[in-house]
Amino acid sequence: MNVNKLAVGYENLKTSICTHSYITIKDAQMIEIESCRKVLKFEDNIAELEIPCGKLSIVGLELRMKNFGFDSVKIYGKLHSIGFEEMNSTKTEDVK
């Protein structure tokens, strides 16, 4: 079997099986997101991540990312706000 076909099949399987993400906020300095699929944008003051059920936006100062590619991703910095946008929906919910 072609390695590329196997890799694509594996990614499709992961996408179809994982339908949720756990988010842990540890004070105003760190947030941990499990099952992060993709980093859409990452700058010093904003991070946008694709999770199984939508898009997560994190706004803060001096943001840094660790552990992407393992089971979870950790973002450190002075967190200001977190927003969530459902997939295939126009609703946006902000948590401050």
Side-chain angles (χ1 to χ4, degrees):
M1 178 180 253
N2 186 336
V3 174
N4 290 332
K5 283 185 180 180
L6 185 61
V8 169
Y10 177 68
E11 288 300 319
N12 291 338
L13 179 64
K14 281 194 328 187
T15 301
S16 66
I17 291 174
C18 187
T19 59
H20 65 278
S21 182
Y22 291 103
I23 300 170
T24 306
I25 302 170
K26 298 180 181 176
D27 63 40
Q29 303 292 319
M30 195 274 276
I31 183 169
E32 181 176 4
I33 303 102
E34 294 182 19
S35 301
C36 178
R37 290 187 176 163
K38 185 190 300 183
V39 177
L40 302 171
K41 179 179 182 181
F42 194 86
E43 296 177 2
D44 190 46
N45 60 353
I46 189 165
E48 291 181 355
L49 309 171
E50 181 182 315
I51 58 176
C53 54
K55 182 174 85 169
L56 188 68
S57 300
I58 301 163
V59 178
L61 298 172
E62 301 172 5
L63 298 179
R64 300 176 320 278
M65 182 184 308
K66 290 188 180 178
N67 292 354
F68 186 75
F70 296 102
D71 289 342
S72 66
V73 61
K74 294 180 182 178
I75 297 179
Y76 296 89
K78 297 175 185 172
L79 305 179
H80 180 264
S81 65
I82 300 165
F84 175 76
E85 185 177 332
E86 286 184 272
M87 268 218 206
N88 302 323
S89 177
T90 58
K91 295 180 182 178
T92 302
E93 181 180 332
D94 284 325
V95 180
K96 293 184 180 182

